[in-house]
Amino acid sequence: MRVQGSRVLVTGARAPIAVALMNQLVEAGFKVWATDSVDFALGRHFQRLEGFATTAPCRFQPDQYIADINAIVKKHDIDWILPSNEETFWLSRQRQELIVPLFAGDFSIISQLHHKRKYGELLQAAGLRVPKSFNEPGPNRIIKNDYSRFTGVGEVDQAQPYFYQEKITGKEWCITVVAQDGEIQAGIVYDKAFNFRGSSSVYFADQQRPDILAEFAKLMRSTNYTGLIGADLIESDADQGLYFIDINPRGTSGLVLLNANFWRGEGVSLKSDRRASLALLPLFWRHPILTRRAFSRSKDIFNGMAIAHPYYLQFVQMYDWWRYAHHEGINLRQATVYDIEWDGQ
């Protein structure tokens, strides 16, 4: 990794992956500040943080958000910004107004990768395989929104633009990558066997699939990508090909497996298996033996991090999200990204 300066601002402090990034950076010798547009963000409780500040919500006040970020940068003499969640799009869109470098992809690239129907154009140009897209329903087709998050197979909001994607059957994998100037600096491939309602994974163990990372590296090189990025793919039962079904050009959950050394340019080392304990608990009802085995073989994602009482804090944060959802008239999952999500605005 080549980053200039030791003072970094991590945005999107609400997410566990933001806490993981803070922990890595501090262990690598950086001084870390954090920010979010909600004052109950989990990351503000990270005990090795230099400071936390609240900003305007980037979705509803994008210009004020950029002004707030620049004010924090000036006040604390920040050297560079590391976005962790969907605020990435808003920061990248107004990158030229930021007064320090942003560790994120170019807006023209990440905005297309975020679009569930259009992402395939960039991947096919790089030589990767993607499922076919259709405007009409048909056999072996899955309905999807152009923009979506936290959704399982077949879940769609028909009030928003949607399309149909070819259904690929096979083994599901997830990738988390940190790239810079088109080269993968750190990468993890993990199994999607444990997930919440067919969506977010809750158990993380690197599966040693350099072939999958090598395939994804084609996209990184062709787009000269810099930043955090994740992908979902299926290893097809029919032809054993790798089909990329979704790209998330922001931080994704596999970051919890990374140790700090790659931020210092010392190569990559990974933690042992990790679990999102509270999210894994509901799976006991469906898969009691597998879930019990997962608990026995892994450590919680917050293990070893300087954050006191993480389980209690997650319950408190969940209550705050519930209040926020009730106030805005939305569901709990929508609430967690409601003020930062980017859907092509």
Side-chain angles (χ1 to χ4, degrees):
M1 293 292 295
R2 299 173 304 281
V3 291
Q4 295 185 354
S6 62
R7 302 165 75 87
V8 56
L9 177 65
V10 175
T11 64
R14 68 188 63 187
I17 58 169
V19 181
L21 289 168
M22 295 174 203
N23 192 69
Q24 293 164 19
L25 290 164
V26 169
E27 289 187 353
F30 293 88
K31 291 185 179 296
V32 179
W33 284 258
T35 185
D36 205 301
S37 50
V38 294
D39 58 10
F40 52 84
L42 184 67
R44 74 176 302 163
H45 299 284
F46 181 61
Q47 295 170 330
R48 299 174 70 183
L49 207 58
E50 299 292 329
F52 175 87
T54 306
T55 66
C58 52
R59 178 184 175 189
F60 302 117
Q61 298 174 257
D63 292 336
Q64 185 58 53
Y65 175 69
I66 296 298
D68 290 347
I69 292 292
N70 281 334
I72 295 167
V73 167
K74 287 180 181 178
K75 180 177 180 180
H76 300 293
D77 197 23
I78 299 296
D79 294 310
W80 55 287
I81 300 167
L82 176 60
S84 68
N85 210 313
E86 287 205 28
E87 76 283 352
T88 302
F89 300 100
W90 301 96
L91 288 164
S92 181
R93 190 181 72 161
Q94 295 180 246
R95 179 193 298 267
Q96 300 208 353
E97 298 175 37
L98 297 171
I99 58 178
V100 293
L102 175 71
F103 191 78
D106 291 339
F107 182 70
S108 62
I109 297 296
I110 66 174
S111 59
Q112 184 170 348
L113 290 174
H114 187 52
H115 194 285
K116 308 303 181 188
R117 191 192 314 223
K118 296 180 180 178
Y119 80 99
E121 297 170 12
L122 285 174
L123 273 70
Q124 288 177 315
L128 278 66
R129 296 193 228 190
V130 298
K132 297 175 183 177
S133 295
F134 306 92
N135 293 322
E136 301 295 334
N140 296 315
R141 295 179 186 180
I142 302 168
I143 188 170
K144 285 189 172 184
N145 284 118
D146 288 357
Y147 296 102
S148 63
R149 55 198 58 79
F150 309 136
T151 55
V153 175
E155 294 182 356
V156 68
D157 178 0
Q158 296 199 16
Q160 302 298 323
Y162 61 89
F163 68 105
Y164 297 87
Q165 187 180 76
E166 176 189 9
K167 182 179 181 180
I168 307 293
T169 58
K171 176 67 175 176
E172 294 183 75
W173 300 100
C174 293
I175 302 176
T176 291
V177 159
V178 183
Q180 187 174 43
D181 299 329
E183 298 296 328
I184 293 179
Q185 305 297 315
I188 304 115
V189 178
Y190 54 98
D191 194 331
K192 203 178 178 181
F194 283 99
N195 59 75
F196 184 73
R197 295 179 61 186
S199 179
S200 303
S201 294
V202 295
Y203 185 90
F204 312 97
D206 183 64
Q207 298 298 311
Q208 297 294 312
R209 288 293 304 264
D211 57 320
I212 292 179
L213 288 176
E215 189 73 2
F216 196 63
K218 297 176 184 178
L219 176 66
M220 299 296 92
R221 288 192 294 270
S222 69
T223 57
N224 197 35
Y225 196 91
T226 289
L228 312 176
I229 189 169
D232 295 339
L233 65 146
I234 295 176
E235 191 169 11
S236 170
D237 288 337
D239 61 12
Q240 288 69 57
L242 300 174
Y243 290 83
F244 290 81
I245 61 172
D246 194 16
I247 304 292
N248 295 300
R250 52 171 174 76
T252 57
S253 302
L255 288 167
V256 300
L257 286 175
L258 286 175
N259 280 313
N261 51 342
F262 84 97
W263 290 108
R264 296 189 293 256
E266 298 174 357
V268 178
S269 67
L270 302 178
K271 293 180 170 67
S272 59
D273 296 9
R274 289 293 188 267
R275 65 177 183 269
S277 299
L278 296 184
L280 191 58
L281 282 173
L283 297 183
F284 267 117
W285 297 105
R286 285 191 293 160
H287 308 292
I289 296 175
L290 286 176
T291 308
R292 191 179 303 114
R293 189 178 301 158
F295 262 85
S296 67
R297 292 180 177 178
S298 62
K299 297 178 181 179
D300 187 77
I301 57 175
F302 294 107
N303 181 268
M305 296 186 192
I307 184 165
H309 311 298
Y311 303 126
Y312 167 75
L313 290 173
Q314 287 178 88
F315 277 117
V316 171
Q317 187 181 47
M318 192 64 67
Y319 173 69
D320 286 324
W321 284 127
W322 177 83
R323 289 196 309 164
Y324 182 67
H326 180 72
H327 180 266
E328 298 293 337
I330 54 180
N331 67 44
L332 188 60
R333 286 196 295 172
Q334 290 172 323
T336 60
V337 292
Y338 186 63
D339 58 332
I340 64 172
E341 66 183 13
W342 187 83
D343 285 347
Q345 294 92 331

